[in-house]
Amino acid sequence: MLLGDVELDVLSVRVDGMDLPYAHVSRTERTVGLDRSGRADWELAELRLEARLPAAEIVEGPWSDVVCLAVLTEKATNSRITVRLDGTHGVLRGTLELPRGMYRERAVLALAVVATVGEVPGRLVGSTQQDWYVDLCSAVPKRRREVEIVEADFREGPYEWLRPFKDAPWVIETAAELPTVYLNSAGVEGLPAVLGGKGGSPAERMLRDVVAGQIAQDAWTAMFQAASTDPETDEDGTPLIPQGWRGTVLRAMLPDVLPGLRTQDALREVEERRRRGAGWAELQTGVLYAAGRRGRTAKKLTDAVRSVDQGER
């Protein structure tokens, strides 16, 4: 895999042949807002892209036939568009055409660098660490939260699928485009108010931090399991890092789940353990540890214990 950074930028956007103001593109949010006031029925958007690769590694590495591909996908519609970027000295450009009819709401734009390695073509040797989002329904290029939080009555609310979990304080759902935490308003009385509150007594703040940390750990655990299950593979069966939030989760957690392995190698090890069964139970310890680090569970619990101890003294 490439050690240097692989970067992707959106240089400009055209909609039905007309330039879109660059205010619709945010580099910091890595998001494009394609909606235009008074023009909801547009047909074709063109994204002018630029990729920057570590040029020396490309030339000197143990590979050949290096190709840089921009890939636009949307899970809701199962749509995928791929365009090759061309150039020299590590700077490559190209235009990706997005037909409005192929996508519904929000697509993920990623970069993949593939090459022939050991006489095996199509091997992934590099990718962007953070994907772009292309929002078809918003003019504001704002990155959404990676996790949605929804308050619902599990007993009598509109989500019938939550009824079997009526005694659970919260449920994590990862099948949608964005993972969602459902808070049970009919479970633990006052829980949504505590989590959504600000300030309060020391006891209220302590409770809020501990519960939020536990929810975060549960969410990271569920997201890891979803992201690492049945990954796409290349031609020789090597699992690929997925796009969108699933790729973000794997890149964040795999170094703690399987320390010492590169992200791609760690994902391969996870898939092999899942397939064989051997070592799968032991792997869960690493998953819980990594999820706890992301949710800062240990720090929040330590602060809570210290606060209780000082109060008793």
Side-chain angles (χ1 to χ4, degrees):
M1 294 287 288
L2 292 168
L3 298 177
D5 292 337
V6 175
E7 300 178 358
L8 174 65
D9 276 330
V10 177
L11 301 179
S12 63
V13 180
R14 293 171 64 86
V15 174
D16 288 343
M18 299 180 61
D19 292 330
L20 202 64
Y22 201 68
H24 288 253
V25 180
S26 173
R27 286 187 175 182
T28 55
E29 296 283 335
R30 301 185 73 79
T31 302
V32 178
L34 283 181
D35 187 48
R36 299 180 64 187
S37 178
R39 186 66 185 279
D41 59 344
W42 58 270
E43 297 181 357
L44 181 69
E46 300 170 80
L47 280 64
R48 181 67 174 165
L49 309 176
E50 179 182 272
R52 293 183 296 278
L53 313 180
E57 276 193 88
I58 294 293
V59 174
E60 301 170 2
W63 37 61
S64 61
D65 304 322
V66 178
V67 176
C68 183
L69 302 172
V71 184
L72 185 72
T73 60
E74 185 181 46
K75 188 175 181 63
T77 57
N78 199 31
S79 296
R80 177 188 295 266
I81 295 175
T82 301
V83 63
R84 177 171 175 167
L85 307 185
D86 296 306
T88 58
H89 306 297
V91 179
L92 305 94
R93 292 182 176 180
T95 299
L96 186 146
E97 295 186 348
L98 189 164
R100 182 64 177 90
M102 287 184 61
Y103 293 86
R104 180 182 303 169
E105 179 182 3
R106 193 171 176 86
V108 179
L109 177 62
L111 196 70
V113 184
V114 299
T116 298
V117 182
E119 299 184 357
V120 179
R123 294 290 301 272
L124 181 70
V125 298
S127 61
T128 44
Q129 288 297 307
Q130 191 175 32
D131 299 328
W132 280 72
Y133 286 93
V134 180
D135 196 326
L136 284 73
C137 301
S138 174
V140 180
K142 184 176 181 180
R143 200 175 188 91
R144 295 180 183 175
R145 292 185 300 177
E146 295 297 334
V147 177
E148 294 289 341
I149 299 177
V150 176
E151 181 181 339
D153 184 338
F154 288 16
R155 297 176 185 272
E156 300 177 355
Y159 304 102
E160 292 188 6
W161 67 272
L162 288 173
R163 305 274 167 85
F165 311 107
K166 60 184 179 181
D167 295 324
W170 57 78
V171 166
I172 316 296
E173 195 267 333
T174 59
E177 183 179 352
L178 287 178
T180 303
V181 177
Y182 290 91
L183 298 177
N184 187 1
S185 59
V188 179
E189 185 177 355
L191 175 61
V194 169
L195 289 172
K198 295 182 179 179
S201 67
E204 289 174 334
R205 294 196 300 270
M206 178 182 66
L207 176 61
R208 181 162 56 243
D209 286 346
V210 171
V211 174
Q214 185 58 59
I215 292 175
Q217 180 171 356
D218 289 353
W220 278 100
T221 301
M223 289 189 297
F224 180 87
Q225 302 294 358
S228 62
T229 300
D230 297 328
E232 293 185 8
T233 61
D234 61 16
E235 294 182 356
D236 66 347
T238 300
L240 303 176
I241 300 296
Q243 298 173 3
W245 66 263
R246 291 170 175 80
T248 301
V249 167
L250 292 180
R251 293 187 184 98
M253 292 184 64
L254 282 172
D256 289 326
V257 176
L258 291 168
L261 295 180
R262 295 185 304 175
T263 303
Q264 194 77 35
D265 296 333
L267 180 58
R268 183 186 299 109
E269 178 66 19
V270 169
E271 182 64 15
E272 289 180 356
R273 291 194 188 191
R274 189 194 306 274
R275 187 173 58 253
R276 297 195 315 263
W280 179 248
E282 294 80 358
L283 187 70
Q284 302 314 301
T285 301
V287 174
L288 292 175
Y289 168 71
R293 287 199 65 187
R294 304 280 83 72
R296 303 178 66 194
T297 307
K299 182 182 185 305
K300 292 175 180 177
L301 184 58
T302 299
D303 291 343
V305 171
R306 183 182 295 117
S307 177
V308 170
D309 182 60
Q310 291 174 349
E312 290 181 348
R313 292 182 183 181

